[in-house]
């Protein structure tokens, strides 16, 4: 039995399989989309590079509060304008779209300002710090006919797209559990805890792959450094049909692990993002049940061990596919996979998780989000 997706807006998203943008050529029927990037720290340079190399886009301006980073940007891309004033970048009439790669606490204000200035927006994850803020951004974009997209980069990678194909095809059968681990000796964030920093990746992947949202969540965790946010946490998501998802995130681990297990009654998937090759492995392993009323429990369960298969994956960088999707959505009005609604769903889970965290792991129910029409531009 597959996951019930009848109440999930993501299940009706028109975007399923994205073509690799390599070799598509530059469109000649329209001028390039001029992009402004706010934030040239850790992730910003990757966005500038990918938009600069994607046909149909032109990086027009980069903004950051640190002059030394702007010097690096200008040295690498002499034709790009640089400024320490993000408001000036947003107000620039030459810019069509704004990419926001700044701390989480600034996402809402900058994205709202950009939308109100008539710019399409691609904002870093999570989309905002509350569901109310996320809803406001969605409503603003819809009212103005603009594309609002969240940088859920992993769902644009070849590995995750292939996993979704396998799940959607029914290869795994009825899903039993989804288990992910994302730990490392990482940077302690100032404005968010480890759930908002790391689990946001796995929640976006989970929502995309399963095509469904949990009905309740429970979370536990701890802050081991005084004055700092929670640095390790365990998040459990409860779905209908006894499907269970569990996410372990940690800034204080001796090794870096990025591994996901998806178990079905037919086959199982192991996804290891740190593998240089064969990131996705499909195992023909599981159990078989027999109906022998006279036997004991052990006699009813048989173990099946079959082959392991590593499917061929697209090697195109996820950010490149994401940039191409953003541009195509601007030009055609097509709804992106990582639209504002997907960002809102992740934020709602994170809010419920933090509520459960404060109650030492008590489950918190999640309401089914209202389905909104796709943005038309």
């Amino acid at each position: 039995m597959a996951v019930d997706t009848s109440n999930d807006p993501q299940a009706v998203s028109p975007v399923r399989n994205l073509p690799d943008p390599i070799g598509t050529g530059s469109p000649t029927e329209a001028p390039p989309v001029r992009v402004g990037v706010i934030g040239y720290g850790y992730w910003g340079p990757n966005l500038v590079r990918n938009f600069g190399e994607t046909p149909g886009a032109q990086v027009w301006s980069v903004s950051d509060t640190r002059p030394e980073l702007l010097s690096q940007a200008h040295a690498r891309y002499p034709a790009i304008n640089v400024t320490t004033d993000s408001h000036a970048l947003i107000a620039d009439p030459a810019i069509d779209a704004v990419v926001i790669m700044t701390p989480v606490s600034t996402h809402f204000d900058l994205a709202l300002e950009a939308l109100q200035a008539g710019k399409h927006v691609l904002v870093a994850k999570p989309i905002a710090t509350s569901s109310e803020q996320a809803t406001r951004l969605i409503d603003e974009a819809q009212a103005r006919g603009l594309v609002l997209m969240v940088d859920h980069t992993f769902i644009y990678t070849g590995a995750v797209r292939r996993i979704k194909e396998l799940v959607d095809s029914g290869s795994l059968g009825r899903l039993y559990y989804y288990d992910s681990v994302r730990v490392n000796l990482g940077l302690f964030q100032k404005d968010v805890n480890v759930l908002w920093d790391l689990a946001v990746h796995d929640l976006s992947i989970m929502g995309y792959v399963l095509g469904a949202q949990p009905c309740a969540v429970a979370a536990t965790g701890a802050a081991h450094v005084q004055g700092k946010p929670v640095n390790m946490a365990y998040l459990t998501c409860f779905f209908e049909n006894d499907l269970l998802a569990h996410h372990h995130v940690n800034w204080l681990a001796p090794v870096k692990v990025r591994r996901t297990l998806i178990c079905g009654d037919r086959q199982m998937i192991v996804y290891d993002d740190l593998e240089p090759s064969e990131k996705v492995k499909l195992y023909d392993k599981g159990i078989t049940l027999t109906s022998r009323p006279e036997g004991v429990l052990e006699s009813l369960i048989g173990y099946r061990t079959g082959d392991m298969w590593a499917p061929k994956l697209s090697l195109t960088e996820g950010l490149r596919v994401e940039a191409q999707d953003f541009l195509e959505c601007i030009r055609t009005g097509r709804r992106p996979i990582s639209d504002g609604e997907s960002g809102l769903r992740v934020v709602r889970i994170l809010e419920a998780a933090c509520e459960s965290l404060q109650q030492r792991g008590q489950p918190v129910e999640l309401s089914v989000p209202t389905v909104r029409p796709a943005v038309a531009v």
Side-chain angles (χ1 to χ4, degrees):
M1 184 175 182
V3 179
D4 180 10
T5 62
S6 58
N7 291 323
D8 180 53
Q10 185 164 288
V12 296
S13 172
V15 180
R16 283 300 181 187
N17 298 310
L18 296 171
D20 290 334
I22 299 298
T24 57
S26 178
T28 58
E29 69 275 6
V33 175
R34 289 177 173 175
V35 178
V37 178
I38 302 176
Y40 198 75
Y42 174 72
W43 204 234
N46 295 321
L47 270 299
V48 171
R49 172 176 54 82
N50 276 280
F51 274 105
E53 296 174 355
T54 299
Q58 179 185 4
V59 180
W60 186 259
S61 184
V62 171
S63 172
D64 200 285
T65 58
R66 293 157 292 187
E68 65 274 15
L69 295 183
L70 293 180
S71 297
Q72 295 176 16
H74 188 263
R76 186 170 183 180
Y77 307 102
I80 295 177
N81 303 306
V82 295
T83 176
T84 57
D85 189 351
S86 60
H87 306 293
L89 182 150
I90 291 174
D92 188 343
I95 291 177
D96 305 303
V98 174
V99 177
I100 300 169
M101 294 293 132
T102 57
V104 179
S105 58
T106 66
H107 289 180
F108 172 72
D109 289 336
L110 288 172
L112 182 62
E113 181 181 349
L115 290 170
Q116 291 176 338
K119 316 295 185 183
H120 303 283
V121 170
L122 170 59
V123 60
K125 54 80 186 170
I127 186 174
T129 58
S130 71
S131 55
E132 290 79 12
Q133 290 182 348
T135 301
R136 174 72 189 283
L137 294 178
I138 293 169
D139 290 341
E140 191 72 30
Q142 187 172 24
R144 296 176 179 273
L146 298 170
V147 173
L148 173 63
M149 185 170 170
V150 190
D151 179 40
H152 291 159
T153 311
F154 281 99
I155 69 175
Y156 290 95
T157 62
V160 174
R161 289 158 56 196
R162 192 71 176 96
I163 292 171
K164 180 169 178 59
E165 290 177 3
L166 292 169
V167 171
D168 286 350
S169 71
S171 297
L172 275 66
R174 177 185 175 184
L175 299 184
Y176 287 156
Y177 68 80
Y178 182 108
D179 188 276
S180 72
V181 179
R182 187 174 297 270
V183 303
N184 59 273
L185 191 61
L187 177 65
F188 278 63
Q189 302 295 328
K190 297 179 181 179
D191 53 349
V192 293
N193 64 29
V194 70
L195 287 169
W196 287 78
D197 179 47
L198 295 183
V200 62
H201 292 299
D202 297 299
L203 292 175
S204 64
I205 296 171
M206 178 189 74
Y208 174 62
V209 168
L210 300 182
Q213 292 297 296
C215 55
V217 301
T220 56
H224 296 104
V225 180
Q226 186 177 3
K228 296 293 184 179
V230 168
N231 60 267
M232 59 86 62
Y234 301 93
L235 170 61
T236 302
C237 298
F238 303 90
F239 291 81
E240 303 294 340
N241 304 322
D242 296 325
L243 172 62
L244 201 65
H246 187 263
H247 307 283
H248 174 203
V249 289
N250 195 343
W251 287 330
L252 198 58
V255 294
K256 184 175 183 179
V257 180
R258 299 285 187 271
R259 186 177 296 120
T260 300
L261 280 69
I262 308 174
C263 175
D265 65 353
R266 295 180 185 172
Q267 293 179 316
M268 305 179 189
I269 288 176
V270 176
Y271 164 42
D272 191 338
D273 189 54
L274 299 185
E275 278 283 340
S277 62
E278 298 185 350
K279 292 180 181 291
V280 177
K281 296 178 181 178
L282 184 67
Y283 290 85
D284 184 16
K285 291 186 177 183
I287 59 174
T288 57
L289 303 179
T290 58
S291 55
R292 295 176 58 188
E294 71 282 0
V296 293
L297 177 61
E298 285 76 8
S299 67
L300 298 177
I301 300 177
Y303 295 92
R304 184 185 72 257
T305 301
D307 295 331
M308 184 280 290
W309 173 55
K312 182 180 179 180
L313 306 176
S314 168
L315 299 180
T316 305
E317 186 178 357
L319 273 179
R320 182 66 57 86
V321 184
E322 178 182 271
Q324 181 71 16
D325 191 38
F326 185 51
L327 296 172
E328 289 183 0
C329 290
I330 290 174
R331 295 189 183 280
T332 67
R334 178 167 55 79
R335 183 174 178 173
I337 298 175
S338 58
D339 61 0
E341 292 288 347
S342 68
L344 173 59
R345 289 191 290 273
V346 169
V347 168
R348 280 177 169 154
I349 295 175
L350 291 171
E351 286 179 325
C354 289
E355 182 180 344
S356 175
L357 198 64
Q358 294 174 351
Q359 300 174 10
R360 294 189 174 182
Q362 288 296 316
V364 175
E365 298 291 326
L366 285 169
S367 59
V368 178
T370 303
V371 178
R372 296 166 179 258
V375 176
V377 294

